[in-house]
Amino acid sequence: TEWLDSRRRRRRAHPHPSRRRRRGLAFLAAILGALLLAGAVQAVSAFRRPTRVDVPSVTSLNQRRATARLEAAGLEVEVERQRSKAEPRGEVLAQTPQTGMLEEGQVVSLVVSSGPPRVKVPSLVGLTVERATARLTKNDLLRGDITKEFSMDRIGTVIGQRPLKERIPWGASVDLIVSRGPEPLDVPDVSGLQAKRAAAQLRAAEFVPVVIESYSNNVPAGKVVSTSPAAGGVALQGSEIEVYVSIGPEFEALKMPDVTGMGVDAARQRLEKLGLRVKVVESCEGGNVVAETEPLAGTTVYENDPVALFVC
């Protein structure tokens, strides 16, 4: 028994060669496995580590192109907007960082122009072109096109402006509408009309009627005899048109009496009593009898009309 126990103890102390080999192989396999695992972890870590990229310069590009270039490099974009008098809307004014390297996915901040600041448009109506231009310059605006239109305002006065917005971009243009004075218009024919109707037609034609009473042997009282300027002529818009309205004949209407065959003195006396102005015309030398008159007997005449007596 003691011998058997002694043999077992020796076997445990000195294992069998084949067992020792198996244990050595297992230990070696464990070491190799640990090395492979460590290499795999390092490989995965290296694969997952972000790549560093150069930051492209995108200043002076428009926002769309700048964003596309940065995203193509693997970077994120953050935008801040700022008013700019010099650069157009959408242009990149600055970037942070400007250059260098960043890891993929990091952010590049862009400052993008939102266009020029907006300024108040001054009122220019009633000013001369020179004063309007000076006021625009003072407000950092430009004078645009000038359009001339007929107007009752003084020639050269600003009567309108475009645009009509209260605020427009700094440096924008404002167009001016300038008076070229009243428009020449045709004078309508109102002769023969009642005075009120004639005046209404002239006002509708943009004139100012001025009624003047006038004697007329041919036009009934209350109706228009004529105008000045005359009908068919041209006068400036808003100008005065004199309207001569009949108040009837200045002298009484008469029927020319028949004085033929009468002596010249008797005939003259009769006609002058009627208010006619007599002129004697000697048709033959030494004659003293009225042979004919002008106008003829029976013709309508008026006081103060001239009458010729042909004496023979």
Side-chain angles (χ1 to χ4, degrees), residues 185-233:
L185 300 173
D186 293 332
V187 178
D189 185 2
V190 294
S191 57
L193 299 180
Q194 289 291 338
K196 287 185 178 180
R197 184 179 176 188
Q201 285 196 13
L202 289 169
R203 280 192 288 269
E206 300 186 69
F207 294 113
V208 178
V210 178
V211 175
I212 299 174
E213 292 182 340
S214 174
Y215 291 109
S216 175
N217 295 331
N218 303 311
V219 179
K223 292 190 176 182
V224 175
V225 178
S226 62
T227 60
S228 179

Side-chain angles (χ1 to χ4, degrees), residues 220-261:
K223 292 190 176 182
V224 175
V225 178
S226 62
T227 60
S228 179
V234 175
L236 294 178
Q237 175 188 16
S239 62
E240 293 184 348
I241 302 295
E242 294 179 343
V243 183
Y244 295 94
V245 178
S246 172
I247 57 173
E250 182 178 6
F251 301 103
E252 184 181 352
L254 305 169
K255 184 176 287 189
M256 178 68 183
D258 185 3
V259 294
T260 57

Side-chain angles (χ1 to χ4, degrees), residues 28 44 114 165 198 225:
L28 181 59
V44 170
S114 57
K165 297 178 181 178
V225 178

